[in-house]
Amino acid sequence: MSHQARYYDATAYILPHLAVLCTKLPLEDKAFLITEIGLAIAAERVWPLKPDTEAFREFQEGLRGLRRETEKLVTNPNIAAVLGNNPTQRERFALSALAILGNRTHAYGTWNMFGNEWEYCIIACLCGWKEEVISFRTDKNYFCIEPVSIAPWDGKSIEDEPVWFQGLLHRIGDEETIRFLPFVYGTWVCPDCGKRAAYWDWLAKFIGYGWCGG
Ligand SMILES: [Zn+2]
């Protein structure tokens, strides 16, 4: 735990410098830098920095700079060509963009699911019921999931997270992740108490139980 906390303090202090560096890089290198830093940024939500600390202010300053650069890349119609042909690198860029421009808990959760190919997803209801592992591929009917329908993206606005994230995934050709998005942005019903809640709330609850050391 303290090991990770130190690690993220270091991330916070280096972030403003990376943001400045990012502005000076060619397009491909900008995309590479953003791809590499995304997971560390997402993880801040699991090991949160304390507000009113120097580390928190540095983290926020770095994030502001990286947001400007990331938004330019996400809205670049040629982003797939900028990222190159490696599908894993393309997906990692999309997850990093989610960490920088969107909700960091969503990015961390999606990163985890992407990392295990959507087979081992963990959830918990506020009532205390929890399930260590479900598969988005095979267990979808086990829970009563109400999927959302996600509107098409205009290619410009990054206001609506599922909309631009899905649009970005289209641009980079990640149709598989797109299949699961209506469920991860959808509403789930607890098999024990019947409570309806956003999947993200369940994931956040599970993180609160101490999953991955938080
Ligand atoms: Zn419940």
Side-chain angles (χ1 to χ4, degrees):
M1 173 68 197
S2 60
H3 168 74
Q4 275 93 357
R6 278 200 297 276
Y7 170 69
Y8 293 112
D9 273 1
T11 305
Y13 287 110
I14 205 168
L15 223 51
H17 303 286
L18 288 178
V20 171
L21 172 69
C22 196
T23 62
K24 298 170 181 164
L25 295 173
L27 218 48
E28 286 78 5
D29 295 343
K30 271 188 215 290
F32 180 79
L33 188 151
I34 286 164
T35 300
E36 293 304 309
I37 196 68
L39 182 57
I41 289 172
E44 189 274 339
R45 199 45 72 87
V46 184
W47 293 277
L49 294 161
K50 286 194 179 67
D52 299 324
T53 60
E54 188 65 23
F56 183 82
R57 283 187 289 275
E58 295 284 317
F59 184 82
Q60 294 297 331
E61 186 196 327
L63 207 49
R64 274 192 296 277
L66 287 170
R67 279 190 184 126
R68 283 191 291 271
E69 297 302 318
T70 307
E71 183 172 347
K72 280 188 247 171
L73 283 167
V74 164
T75 55
N76 182 332
N78 300 317
I79 186 62
V82 171
L83 293 168
N85 287 329
N86 183 330
T88 305
Q89 278 300 101
R90 287 181 175 198
E91 284 158 349
R92 291 184 67 229
F93 170 80
L95 295 172
S96 288
L98 187 61
I100 292 166
L101 298 174
N103 178 301
R104 294 195 289 284
T105 305
H106 299 179
Y108 197 87
T110 309
W111 212 302
N112 188 59
M113 292 183 274
F114 170 72
N116 61 52
E117 302 185 331
W118 302 88
E119 286 288 4
Y120 307 102
C121 306
I122 47 188
I123 49 173
C125 174
L126 294 171
C127 75
W129 176 89
K130 63 177 174 145
E131 186 77 47
E132 297 278 331
V133 172
I134 59 132
S135 167
F136 266 79
R137 293 182 185 280
T138 55
D139 293 342
K140 278 196 300 231
N141 295 328
Y142 180 56
F143 304 93
C144 184
I145 308 175
E146 297 159 7
V148 289
S149 98
I150 300 171
W153 187 36
D154 66 2
K156 299 186 192 93
S157 169
I158 53 150
E159 289 301 308
D160 191 332
E161 181 184 291
V163 168
W164 71 256
F165 187 52
Q166 179 176 262
L168 176 63
L169 292 169
H170 271 304
R171 277 190 174 166
I172 64 169
D174 184 0
E175 298 301 323
E176 180 169 83
T177 300
I178 288 169
R179 272 175 54 205
F180 300 120
L181 286 190
F183 300 100
V184 297
Y185 283 97
T187 300
W188 293 37
V189 181
C190 176
D192 204 39
C193 74
K195 182 181 165 64
R196 297 169 73 255
Y199 170 71
W200 296 125
D201 290 344
W202 286 25
L203 182 73
K205 175 66 179 170
F206 201 100
I207 291 171
Y209 276 128
W211 166 53
C212 60

